[in-house]
């Protein structure tokens, strides 16, 4: 499979701070790649570096083989960006917002209608943005980013501050995009969302990449392979999968009807992140 | 560079500016001021005429009956001259003794007209007094007149107003205010607003380049400057002189100041800073036109470095029918525009390096 997004020792220093420290990774066609970290970890700066909005202090970023800094003309037509800030023209209507960018991209007007339908905003297209909810704005931002049918889309915290229904709609849109072959680079600090959506995830902490892998592998690698049995007498017993005698005991208690509930001890992505971030902190110390 | 993209962005802002009360205020303020002045004071600009006569004369009463004329009486030729020199009166009339008797007897009394300069206003004043004297006599040439122009070097400083009357010059002032307001306030506001609301990021991720973005914003300033100039001229009943030459000056001035606005917009970080310093820029750039309103004064020479100086000077000279001597102002305006454009280009390059 061909790498669509590549970062080589990407670094960005600001006056008093290094936002991104020598980060390297490759993302493949049609993949949903989650870039996870706390606020201020360097997620947005990485997106700005990858999309050529800022120049790296060192290293380079490539999109579909083009250098993001020096070949912006080639990059722009193949990327779409939904930034964290809901940067829409508030005094204009949804339709006017999309038409403006359709004209800048020199795209046919029917595409605007297609996208309004895709994000389910047709009925509100002639309303001013200032009257939109956060969820509607986010959907319109996705529509704007997809106007020119990009091969790669960058989504910076797409569900932040949204109600569960709006967040679900956005996640559906992201899944559909990936299904249609679009490569998705997603930043979030919502681990549950990343687990649900991403093929692979990377953890970033204070500008440094901690690990890259599939959510499943990370959970297996860093979680405990065991269950906890809660007994009728309110006692709890931990049963590791790798210990045959424990498994026998569990079976025996189940048959004797002594077990009230069983709890899987599989780690969540958040557990893995906290574990890894903690290790990093220890190593630094 | 794509003209289509520039026009798409400019059109968005032209429409959006009208929807925004704050931007609308910037656009229409000079128009409102011009309209108000025209409405309340337009027909009340008076011609002040000073008279020195050793005895009573019916000329005083007759002049006082003329609309828009204010007559002041002086007790000596020296005080009359002093008042002309200070600009307190437009025309001084020095009458000989027994003026009325000499006039009635067709004895051709000698009348001295004293004016500060050769401006249109002064000429209108002299002609008016001559016509009034004419009405008092049956003789077609009732007096022997001489006009004393107090030499320009006798006046303090230089005058950018030239030969224009106050009301004619006021139109130039409104024009300059409109062009400065749109160029130096509207244009940077549009740029800084895009940056603050982060819509600039979205625009620059589209095929639009930063140069196209800057030109698009300047186009909005030029369009509104030209529109406001046309409206001011319409409200004020137009200007005399070569309209083509005036149009060239207005377009060039609009371009120059709109690019100046782009320069400010690329340097200023947020609207708060812009609002704090923007009005200082507007005041400074309007200063050549404002100070010119005061007539000759020594400060004008220090304002020649401002791009609005050749604009005011050029329009004044063109309106006075002196296209030939307005050409250096046009050239100077071109030089100012080129320098500002150079500044904008440097700023864009700096941005490219530092991003």
């Amino acid at each position: 499979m061909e790498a669509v997004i590549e970062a080589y020792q990407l670094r960005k220093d600001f006056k008093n701070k290094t936002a991104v420290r020598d980060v390297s990774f490759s993302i493949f066609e049609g993949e949903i790649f989650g870039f996870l970290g706390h606020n201020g970890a360097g997620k947005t700066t990485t997106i700005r570096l990858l999309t050529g909005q800022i120049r790296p202090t060192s290293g380079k970023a490539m999109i579909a083989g083009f250098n993001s800094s020096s070949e912006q003309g080639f990059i722009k037509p193949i990327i779409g960006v939904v930034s964290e800030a809901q940067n829409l023209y508030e005094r204009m209507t949804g339709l006017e917002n999309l038409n403006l960018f359709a004209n800048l991209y020199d795209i046919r007007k029917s595409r605007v209608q297609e996208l309004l339908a895709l994000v389910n905003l047709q009925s509100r297209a002639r309303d001013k943005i200032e009257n939109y909810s956060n969820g509607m704005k986010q959907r319109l931002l996705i529509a704007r980013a997809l106007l020119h049918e990009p091969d790669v889309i960058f989504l910076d915290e797409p569900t932040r501050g949204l109600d569960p229904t709006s967040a679900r709609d956005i996640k559906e849109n992201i899944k559909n995009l990936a299904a249609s072959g679009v490569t998705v680079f997603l930043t979030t600090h919502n681990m549950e969302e990343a687990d649900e959506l991403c093929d692979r995830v990377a953890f970033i902490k204070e500008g440094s990449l901690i690990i890259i892998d599939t959510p499943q592998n990370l959970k297996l690698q860093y979680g405990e392979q065991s269950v906890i049995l809660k007994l009728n007498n309110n006692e709890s017993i931990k049963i590791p999968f790798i210990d045959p005698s424990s498994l026998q005991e569990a079976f025996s208690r189940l048959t004797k009807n002594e077990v009230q509930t069983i709890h899987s001890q599989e780690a969540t992505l958040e557990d893995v992140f906290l574990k890894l971030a903690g290790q990093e902190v220890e190593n630094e110390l | 560079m794509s003209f289509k993209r520039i026009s798409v962005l400019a059109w968005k802002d032209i429409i959006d500016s009208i929807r925004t009360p704050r931007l609308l205020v910037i656009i229409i303020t000079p128009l409102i001021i011009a309209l108000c002045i025209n409405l309340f004071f337009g027909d009340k600009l008076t011609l002040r005429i000073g008279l020195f006569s050793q005895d009573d004369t019916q000329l005083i009463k007759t002049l006082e009956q003329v609309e828009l004329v204010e007559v002041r009486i002086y007790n000596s030729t020296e005080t009359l001259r002093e008042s002309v020199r200070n600009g307190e009166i437009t025309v001084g009339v020095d009458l000989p003794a027994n003026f009325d008797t000499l006039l009635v007897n067709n004895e051709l009394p000698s009348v001295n007209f004293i004016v500060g300069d050769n401006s249109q206003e002064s000429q209108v004043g002299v002609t008016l007094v001559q016509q009034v004297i004419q009405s008092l006599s049956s003789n077609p040439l009732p007096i022997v007149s001489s006009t004393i122009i107090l030499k320009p070097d006798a006046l303090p400083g230089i005058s950018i107003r030239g030969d224009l009357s106050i009301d004619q010059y006021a139109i130039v002032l409104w024009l300059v205010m409109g062009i400065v307001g749109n160029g130096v306030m509207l244009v940077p506001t549009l740029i800084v607003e895009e940056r603050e609301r982060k819509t600039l990021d979205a625009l620059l991720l589209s095929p639009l380049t930063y140069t196209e973005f800057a030109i698009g914003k300047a186009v909005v300033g030029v369009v509104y400057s030209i529109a406001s100039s046309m409206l001011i001229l319409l409200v004020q009943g137009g200007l005399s002189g070569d309209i083509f030459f005036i149009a060239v000056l207005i377009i060039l001035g609009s371009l120059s100041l709109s690019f100046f606005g782009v320069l400010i917009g690329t340097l200023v970080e947020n609207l708060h800073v812009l609002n704090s310093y923007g009005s200082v820029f507007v005041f400074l750039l309007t200063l050549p036109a404002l100070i010119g309103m005061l007539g000759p004064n020594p400060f004008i020479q220090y304002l020649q470095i401002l791009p609005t100086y050749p604009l005011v000077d050029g329009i004044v000279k063109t309106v006075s029918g002196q296209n030939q001597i307005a050409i250096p102002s046009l050239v100077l305006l071109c030089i100012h525009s080129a320098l500002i454009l150079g500044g904008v280009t440097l700023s864009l390059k700096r941005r490219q390096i530092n991003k």
Side-chain angles (χ1 to χ4, degrees):
Chain A
M1 204 181 277
E2 208 176 323
V4 180
I5 304 172
E6 291 161 288
Y8 299 104
Q9 295 295 306
L10 206 54
R11 183 184 184 91
K12 183 66 183 176
D13 296 329
F14 290 112
K15 274 177 193 165
N16 313 315
K17 186 188 171 191
T18 299
V20 176
R21 292 169 200 270
D22 309 319
V23 164
S24 297
F25 55 82
S26 297
I27 301 166
F28 303 98
E29 196 178 334
E31 192 177 11
I32 303 182
F33 187 85
F35 208 60
L36 317 181
H38 292 309
N39 292 337
K43 304 189 296 285
T44 302
T45 307
T46 306
I47 283 195
R48 291 176 72 80
L49 286 166
L50 292 173
T51 54
Q53 290 174 276
I54 51 172
R55 284 173 189 271
T57 307
S58 61
K60 67 176 176 179
M62 309 285 280
I63 306 281
F66 298 111
N67 189 308
S68 296
S69 293
S70 55
E71 295 174 302
Q72 271 246 296
F74 295 104
I75 300 288
K76 283 180 173 185
I78 53 175
I79 62 165
V81 179
V82 176
S83 65
E84 192 181 358
Q86 293 186 321
N87 54 357
L88 292 160
Y89 292 100
E90 296 276 325
R91 296 185 290 266
M92 288 162 59
T93 66
L95 184 64
E96 285 169 340
N97 266 277
L98 291 189
N99 276 340
L100 169 69
F101 283 84
N103 286 330
L104 289 173
Y105 281 106
D106 207 5
I107 289 166
R108 63 187 200 285
K109 287 284 159 61
S110 59
R111 174 77 180 147
V112 171
Q113 294 303 330
E114 282 170 30
L115 285 164
L116 283 168
L118 180 78
V119 295
N120 201 18
L121 280 173
Q122 268 174 320
S123 60
R124 301 292 301 272
R126 290 180 193 281
D127 288 358
K128 285 190 177 175
I129 301 298
E130 57 199 12
N131 299 324
Y132 275 27
S133 68
N134 277 342
M136 288 163 72
K137 284 180 187 174
Q138 207 64 30
R139 269 151 46 207
L140 193 73
L141 283 168
I142 291 177
R144 188 178 75 185
L146 295 175
L147 263 174
H148 55 298
E149 301 178 59
D151 299 329
V152 183
I153 187 160
F154 293 87
L155 301 159
D156 196 358
E157 304 276 1
T159 57
R160 186 181 213 172
L162 299 188
D163 60 81
T165 315
S166 300
R168 191 196 56 210
D169 290 347
I170 299 288
K171 283 188 270 190
E172 276 309 306
N173 281 325
I174 295 170
K175 284 177 189 168
N176 292 339
L177 279 174
S180 66
V182 174
T183 307
V184 180
F185 185 97
L186 169 84
T187 76
T188 181
H189 61 268
N190 184 336
M191 304 293 163
E192 217 173 292
E193 178 181 285
D195 195 5
E196 182 188 340
L197 290 172
C198 300
D199 298 316
R200 282 192 304 150
V201 292
F203 290 158
I204 186 169
K205 183 173 175 277
E206 291 168 8
S208 300
L209 211 57
I210 303 173
I211 200 163
I212 303 177
D213 210 333
T214 63
Q216 190 58 31
N217 282 350
L218 288 171
K219 286 187 289 187
L220 284 174
Q221 196 178 342
Y222 292 93
E224 283 186 48
Q225 293 186 30
S226 62
V227 288
I228 296 223
L229 304 184
K230 198 169 180 190
L231 305 177
N232 292 336
N233 60 3
N234 282 336
E235 267 183 48
S236 294
I237 310 171
K238 192 173 186 178
I239 309 288
F241 293 163
I242 47 166
D243 179 3
S245 62
S246 297
L247 288 171
Q248 266 181 358
E249 188 191 345
F251 186 71
S252 148
R253 286 184 183 272
L254 277 166
T255 50
K256 287 178 191 165
N257 218 6
E258 291 174 7
V259 179
Q260 206 174 49
T261 52
I262 304 173
H263 298 278
S264 160
Q265 285 302 95
E266 186 191 51
T268 63
L269 211 49
E270 189 164 358
D271 295 333
V272 179
F273 177 74
L274 290 173
K275 202 168 189 176
L276 287 171
Q279 273 178 7
E280 287 291 309
V281 173
E282 279 167 24
N283 290 344
E284 279 168 24
L285 290 171
Chain B
M1 195 184 314
S2 160
F3 290 104
K4 192 196 168 190
R5 288 197 291 265
I6 292 170
S7 62
V8 165
L9 181 71
W11 182 247
K12 185 268 290 179
D13 281 326
I14 286 169
I15 300 298
D16 200 33
S17 303
I18 303 168
R19 290 170 174 164
T20 320
R22 196 161 46 82
L23 298 180
L24 198 60
V25 165
I26 296 172
I27 296 164
I28 63 170
T29 298
L31 290 171
I32 292 173
I33 294 173
L35 197 66
C36 289
I37 298 271
N38 197 46
L39 209 64
F40 296 111
F41 307 107
D43 57 352
K44 289 180 184 149
L45 289 169
T46 52
L47 195 63
R48 291 187 301 276
I49 294 171
L51 257 135
F52 167 62
S53 177
Q54 290 170 19
D55 35 41
D56 278 348
T57 168
Q58 56 179 333
L59 181 60
I60 297 170
K61 273 187 184 169
T62 319
L63 272 173
E64 280 173 346
Q65 284 164 9
V66 178
E67 238 184 298
L68 307 178
V69 168
E70 182 191 324
V71 181
R72 294 182 186 181
I73 311 298
Y74 291 87
N75 53 15
S76 72
T77 308
E78 284 69 37
T79 52
L80 183 71
R81 275 173 171 261
E82 197 53 39
S83 289
V84 173
R85 200 188 299 279
N86 296 339
E88 289 168 17
I89 52 172
T90 314
V91 182
V93 185
D94 188 2
L95 297 175
N98 302 316
F99 172 73
D100 284 9
T101 317
L102 293 169
L103 194 69
V104 171
N105 296 339
N106 287 331
E107 288 178 42
L108 302 179
S110 293
V111 177
N112 289 330
F113 292 99
I114 304 161
V115 289
D117 51 34
N118 199 25
S119 70
Q120 213 168 346
E121 205 177 0
S122 304
Q123 288 168 22
V124 168
V126 170
T127 310
L128 178 84
V129 179
Q130 282 173 335
Q131 281 172 353
V132 171
I133 294 172
Q134 175 82 65
S135 70
L136 299 174
S137 167
S138 53
N139 190 341
L141 291 167
I143 56 168
V144 175
S145 70
S146 60
T147 305
I148 300 162
I149 303 171
L150 300 177
K151 287 181 184 173
D153 56 2
L155 294 163
I158 52 169
S159 170
I160 197 170
R161 179 149 66 92
D163 294 343
L164 292 194
S165 63
I166 289 281
D167 48 340
Q168 274 184 313
Y169 184 76
I171 303 175
V172 181
L173 176 64
W174 311 141
L175 286 177
V176 173
M177 278 178 75
I179 294 170
V180 170
N182 285 306
V184 180
M185 280 305 280
L186 178 69
V187 173
T189 304
L190 292 173
I191 294 174
V192 176
E193 218 177 46
E194 297 266 21
R195 195 182 302 129
E196 261 194 343
R197 293 178 184 172
K198 302 199 186 298
T199 43
L200 178 60
D201 291 343
L203 287 174
L204 296 181
L205 283 164
S206 80
L208 190 82
T209 64
Y210 197 82
T211 307
E212 288 167 351
F213 169 79
I215 293 172
K217 299 295 173 184
V219 166
V220 181
V222 171
V223 167
Y224 273 118
S225 295
I226 292 172
S228 81
S229 299
M230 283 169 68
L231 271 170
I232 287 168
L233 289 174
L234 207 71
V235 167
Q236 299 288 341
L239 273 174
S240 56
D242 187 337
I243 192 70
F244 175 75
F245 216 83
I246 293 174
V248 169
L249 282 161
I250 288 174
I251 292 169
L252 213 51
S254 305
L255 262 175
S256 167
L257 287 158
S258 294
F259 275 115
F260 196 72
V262 169
L263 194 59
I264 296 171
T266 53
L267 297 175
V268 172
E269 277 303 311
N270 55 55
L271 279 177
H272 178 69
V273 175
L274 180 67
N275 290 337
S276 305
Y277 296 104
S279 44
V280 177
F281 279 118
V282 170
F283 176 72
L284 271 175
L285 289 164
T286 322
L287 216 51
L290 282 171
I291 285 195
M293 200 81 175
L294 304 173
N297 64 74
F299 303 109
I300 286 178
Q301 57 186 314
Y302 302 112
L303 304 174
Q304 292 183 14
I305 52 161
L306 297 174
T308 35
Y309 184 90
L311 176 66
V312 178
D313 193 47
I315 297 177
V316 165
K317 282 171 180 161
T318 310
V319 172
S320 309
Q322 300 167 304
N323 289 9
Q324 289 297 320
I325 60 165
I327 289 172
S329 299
L330 195 68
V331 173
L332 198 59
L333 198 56
C334 287
I335 293 169
H336 273 290
S337 306
L339 284 174
I340 294 166
L341 200 60
V344 171
T345 313
L346 272 177
S347 151
L348 295 182
K349 278 193 176 158
R350 186 177 145 262
R351 184 193 173 277
Q352 198 64 31
I353 292 162
N354 292 342
K355 83 173 188 176

